């Protein structure tokens, strides 16, 4: 029997995938204190950190630096600064306490994409021109992916921390650690059918091209499962979402799935949900479980939150979330955002360190690092327990399309809505 009411309206707000989440995009409106976590653990599990990073040392890294290219989208209408902050915190921790990568401290060659597709080409050219960069780590990009991958053209390995539909899932020498919305495409239909027993689904998405691509990708996955889906579009930036919710037929469907990819959109969706007096489950990406949303509403909405990484607010017996929070608490600074794309940025640097260690940190070459990236199977911090690249001919860069679903009961209480990971690679 389903753990959720059947024959009633279920509102599912899919903001991507992540974890954080099922999306790659988030806005810079979280605020400096949005992610503050006064209960964050202070003891860092160095044993677990070594298992996910491949580190073998202790203390400060004193060797010659090893340079990682870091590409992120920030500074524009869609901005993910928390990704870069978390990536730096992970590197600072490895460099200060675990000897970096084989004794070599990690440094970054950074390039930000603000809002133009051509900026992806600029970042790709920067990475190719820097001979010290043997590995690129790419954040979630709402724009610039086409030109970035066309420029890199497989010449250097690219670890994609948050993948979007498009070249992220097909580019040469590219390895997507976090399937983001494509985890939702594969896992959400299973969740809807087996847990919510839905037959009809209504989706709401703004007219941002990247979000439309995410919505259509998830829609195709749900329809392939035999469910009927209706997609309604509204102007990006709208603060009042009552009209699109009514237009999509909120009272005449089993499930509603808004694509809410910024805290502002999550808050607007929550207000419309409350105003419409809908009293049934709502499932959202972990992006909507951010401090900014909690601050704006007074508490997180009582939804079911999905993501392709572990929910950093929910109980985690694996210790992964505790490690992440303890390091962020020490190295990211007080009040750093712990949600949105921060977990993906942190996990990606841990994975990058493990790839570089496997390639041989003393004499890394592009060829050796590429081979190590291709062979990487995890464990990915806060991610699926195992990854396998190249096994899905449709999405060859994806290591997994698995997701988790958590239900927020209010008052800080969480329950596991999916009973673990859904759709792990076999």
């Amino acid at each position: 029997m389903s753990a959720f009411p059947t024959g009633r309206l279920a509102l599912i707000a899919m903001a991507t995938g992540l974890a954080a989440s099922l999306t790659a995009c988030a806005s810079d409106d979280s605020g400096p204190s949005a992610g503050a976590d006064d209960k964050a653990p202070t003891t860092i599990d160095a044993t677990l950190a070594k298992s996910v990073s491949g580190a073998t040392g202790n203390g400060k890294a004193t060797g010659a630096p090893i340079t990682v290219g870091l590409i992120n989208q920030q500074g524009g209408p869609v901005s993910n600064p928390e990704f870069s902050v978390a990536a730096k915190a992970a590197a600072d921790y490895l460099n200060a306490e675990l000897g970096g990568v084989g004794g070599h401290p990690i440094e970054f060659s950074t390039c930000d994409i603000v809002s133009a597709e051509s900026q992806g080409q600029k970042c790709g050219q920067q990475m190719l021109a820097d001979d010290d960069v043997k590995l690129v780590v790419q954040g979630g990009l709402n724009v610039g992916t086409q030109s970035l991958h066309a420029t890199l053209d497989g010449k250097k390995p690219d670890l994609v921390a948050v993948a979007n539909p498009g070249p992220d899932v097909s580019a040469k020498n590219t390895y997507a650690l976090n399937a983001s919305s494509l985890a939702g495409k594969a896992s959400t239909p299973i969740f809807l059918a087996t847990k919510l027993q839905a037959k009809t689904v209504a989706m709401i998405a703004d007219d941002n091209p990247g979000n439309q691509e995410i919505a259509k990708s998830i829609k195709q996955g749900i329809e392939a499962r035999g469910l009927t889906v209706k997609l309604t579009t509204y102007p990006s930036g709208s603060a009042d979402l009552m009209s699109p919710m009514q237009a999509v037929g909120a009272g005449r469907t089993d499930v509603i799935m808004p694509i809410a990819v910024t805290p502002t959109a999550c808050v607007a969706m929550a207000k419309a949900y409350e105003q419409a007096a809908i009293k049934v489950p709502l499932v959202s990406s972990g992006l909507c479980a951010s401090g900014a949303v909690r601050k704006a509403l007074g508490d997180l909405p009582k939804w079911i939150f999905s993501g392709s990484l572990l929910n950093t607010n929910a109980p985690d017996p694996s210790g992964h979330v505790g490690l992440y929070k303890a390091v962020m608490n020490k190295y990211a600074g007080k009040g750093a955002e712990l949600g949105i794309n921060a977990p993906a940025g942190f996990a990606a640097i841990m994975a990058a360190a493990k790839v570089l260690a496997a390639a041989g940190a003393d004499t890394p070459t592009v060829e050796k690092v590429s081979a190590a990236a291709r062979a990487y199977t995890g464990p990915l911090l806060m991610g699926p327990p195992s990854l396998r690249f190249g096994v899905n001919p449709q999405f060859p860069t994806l290591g997994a399309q698995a997701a988790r679903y958590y239900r927020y009961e209010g008052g800080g209480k969480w329950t596991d809505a999916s009973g673990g990971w859904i759709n792990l690679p076999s």
Side-chain angles (χ1 to χ4, degrees), residues 229-253:
V229 184
K230 176 182 178 181
L231 173 61
T232 294
T233 301
Y234 66 92
S236 179
S238 298
D240 184 353
L241 300 184
M242 278 295 294
S243 294
M245 183 172 288
Q246 292 170 344
V248 86
R252 300 181 299 279
T253 189

Side-chain angles (χ1 to χ4, degrees), residues 258-312:
I259 304 296
V261 303
T262 67
T264 298
C266 295
V267 169
M269 193 59 61
K271 290 180 178 178
Y273 176 77
E274 183 178 357
Q275 291 169 7
I278 300 171
K279 303 296 182 182
V280 292
L282 182 158
V283 182
S284 162
S285 158
L287 292 180
C288 284
S290 71
V293 175
R294 180 187 291 110
K295 183 177 180 181
L297 298 175
D299 194 6
L300 294 176
K302 295 178 182 179
W303 299 348
I304 300 168
F305 292 89
S306 64
S308 49
L309 295 176
L310 295 179
N311 187 323
T312 59

Side-chain angles (χ1 to χ4, degrees), residues 21 25 56 62 70 75 83 94 109 186 198 257 285 343 356 365 380 409:
S21 102
C25 308
T56 58
T62 58
L70 187 67
F83 177 90
L94 291 171
S109 173
M257 296 178 59
S285 158
L356 290 167
T365 65
L380 176 68
E409 306 286 357

